[in-house]
Amino acid sequence: MNTRHSITTLAVAAAMALALTAPLVAAEPDDHFIIRDCEQSREDLATAIREYAENEEDWIFLAEFDLAVGDITALKVCYLPLGPDILDAGLHVGAMMPCGHIGLYEEDGGTKLSMLHPKFMTTLQPHPSLERAAQRAEPAYEALLDHVLGGP
């Protein structure tokens, strides 16, 4: 292994370790996030989200893991019908495949759910097909949230 590769590897590992152990810093959410107050525990919400994604034909459940020394339960679910619109913007946007990144955490004595709003894609890569994907994703993710949170 060359020295440059070793230094790069160490720098990436140090940055990841810092991100995983850094103290939580409060920041105001913007319109790229959907934030909901929840009555359920993190564990119950994670179970409900996983079951929804596993039982709905157009969804898949990819991951559940803890972040910030267990302060956040992170989940990743994907709404598959968005794939063609996303890839129409180019293969380089494949990292944004039609997935929702959800964080569950406690704040002020209650459970919170935070999710990237689908329109984040259009901020990162302006493209008409991503605009279409974001418009199609919003009602699908709202249906998921209504289901797991007991909404309308």
Side-chain angles (χ1 to χ4, degrees), residues 10-148:
L10 287 173
V12 169
M16 289 175 61
L18 180 60
L20 293 174
T21 60
L24 299 176
V25 177
E28 292 299 314
D30 61 28
D31 62 351
H32 286 96
F33 295 91
I34 298 170
I35 310 284
R36 295 286 196 292
D37 291 315
C38 311
E39 294 182 13
Q40 305 97 315
S41 69
R42 282 194 293 160
E43 295 80 14
D44 289 345
L45 277 171
T47 297
I49 292 166
R50 182 177 56 256
E51 287 175 355
Y52 183 90
E54 290 174 343
N55 292 311
E56 293 293 319
E57 183 178 329
D58 289 336
W59 290 85
I60 59 171
F61 178 82
L62 291 180
E64 177 179 342
F65 50 94
D66 287 333
L67 295 173
V69 194
D71 288 340
I72 300 169
T73 301
L75 300 122
K76 188 167 185 166
V77 296
C78 298
Y79 183 61
L80 299 176
L82 303 178
D85 286 333
I86 293 171
L87 290 179
D88 188 49
L91 295 178
H92 67 286
V93 298
M96 292 191 294
M97 275 319 255
C99 299
H101 307 276
I102 301 169
L104 307 174
Y105 57 98
E106 278 90 29
E107 184 176 83
D108 299 326
T111 304
K112 296 266 196 178
L113 179 148
S114 173
M115 182 178 139
L116 281 173
H117 193 288
K119 68 182 171 185
F120 86 91
M121 296 182 291
T122 63
T123 300
L124 294 175
Q125 181 70 48
H127 191 280
S129 69
L130 293 177
E131 292 283 345
R132 192 170 48 251
Q135 290 171 356
R136 292 178 59 208
E138 191 166 359
Y141 281 102
E142 286 295 334
L144 176 146
L145 295 177
D146 287 347
H147 178 82
V148 301

Side-chain angles (χ1 to χ4, degrees), residues 1-9:
M1 182 184 309
N2 67 36
T3 303
R4 188 168 121 185
H5 181 72
S6 296
I7 292 171
T8 301
T9 302

